[in-house]
Amino acid sequence: MLGSCTIGLGKVSAVSDPLATTAAPPGINPVNVDNWLREAGLVGPFTFSLIAGGKSNLTYRFTDASGDRYVLRRPPLGHVLATAHDVAREHRIISALQNSAVPVAPVVGLCTDDAVNGAPFSVMRFVDGVVLDSPAAGDAVPEAVRAHASDQLLDVMVALHSVDIDAVGLGELARRGGYLDRQLKRWKSQWDQSKSRDLPLMDQVHAGLIASQPEEHTVGIVHGDYRFGNCIVDPATGDLCAVLDWELCTLGDVLADIGYLLVYWSDPAGPQLAENDPSGRPGFPSRDEVVRRYTAATGRSVADIQYFEAFSCWRLACIAEGVLARYAAGVMGDSTGFDLALSQQRVDALAKRAAALL
């Protein structure tokens, strides 16, 4: 699946150079993390920078003495909601998928000792490519390869949903049944804990989702945030290099991922449904074509796809409200440009869209 994508593998040296403490962004203890990385076999000194984006776990890029690049992920600063931002769990999932047909970044290590950096963190190798997280990013990719990039996105999703969870060691990742029950309970609880104001429509949609809940379909690995914005793509070929951001991954009804993808996907020449997605630009397939490709590849019925899109809109509104609350509390690093009113409008729009779909 990696195609022409490049992974920065780096070189491990036996030479122990002097410890050098350099300036580091918030969320990185430069001395402790430097020591831990050296013990893991990397060669310092290390230079850290906070990667723009990533509104859940904080993501940093760093280089070692030879210029090789790596990525470190840790939870947001300050208090976080229970069960959220579990980098150890994310590390477990990526490790399990290393030899699968699903491209992921090669793992380096996991630190679970809070004394090192104030919270657990995981380290993986940097993967070259681009993240298509906006219409402008989509425009930067040649129109001739946009269809292939979309095909790759769907094909990797199909591969993920086809992974033998027991064979890769993820059979105990979560309960295999009752996905929607668990999700509706979890995100309603987190909405209640993090909401910045009363929004009765969210409660109404939650009740509607419970009342119209379909029977469970195929149970497999659900990424939980599967979209172009969480994938690295080779801009020259359209190959999908790596799937990122696994913190919401669980076992459940795999139709949730295709329903979630449709929350972001825009039709060509139609209204732009999400400002952080490239679809809708020339060369990208339509929403119907996306669903048809998934159906053809899996043979699964998508009769309940509208329900899963509604559920995904509501769930994304809950997540977005939590991000909003963390930015307002100042625990998401650099909050330059954060607009509370605009963020609330986006949550409101998702709630209204979920209600309309139901």
Side-chain angles (χ1 to χ4, degrees), residues 242-267:
V243 181
L244 310 174
D245 287 1
W246 293 84
E247 64 182 281
L248 294 173
C249 180
T250 189
L251 302 183
D253 195 323
V254 296
L255 283 186
D257 271 343
I258 187 70
Y260 185 83
L261 184 63
L262 290 176
V263 174
Y264 290 85
W265 207 274
S266 301
D267 275 323

Side-chain angles (χ1 to χ4, degrees), residues 227-291:
R227 54 191 172 89
F228 266 130
N230 280 331
C231 294
I232 297 176
V233 173
D234 185 321
T237 65
D239 288 341
L240 199 155
C241 305
V243 181
L244 310 174
D245 287 1
W246 293 84
E247 64 182 281
L248 294 173
C249 180
T250 189
L251 302 183
D253 195 323
V254 296
L255 283 186
D257 271 343
I258 187 70
Y260 185 83
L261 184 63
L262 290 176
V263 174
Y264 290 85
W265 207 274
S266 301
D267 275 323
Q272 188 70 35
L273 296 179
E275 62 186 21
N276 55 347
D277 193 86
S279 58
R281 293 304 211 227
F284 290 103
S286 69
R287 288 165 57 87
D288 286 344
E289 288 170 329
V290 165
V291 174

Side-chain angles (χ1 to χ4, degrees), residues 11 20 63 65 86 97 170 173 176 185-186 193 221 224 226 246 267 271 280 282 290 300 304:
K11 296 179 180 179
T63 56
D86 189 343
L97 294 173
L170 294 178
L173 183 67
R176 305 191 189 201
K185 180 179 179 180
R186 173 189 179 182
Q193 292 179 58
I221 299 175
Y226 195 87
W246 293 84
D267 275 323
V290 165
R300 297 185 183 116
D304 295 317

Side-chain angles (χ1 to χ4, degrees), residues 87-106:
V87 294
R89 189 170 184 274
E90 183 178 51
H91 176 81
R92 174 189 174 188
I93 294 163
I94 295 174
S95 298
L97 294 173
Q98 290 290 296
N99 297 315
S100 74
V102 180
V104 291

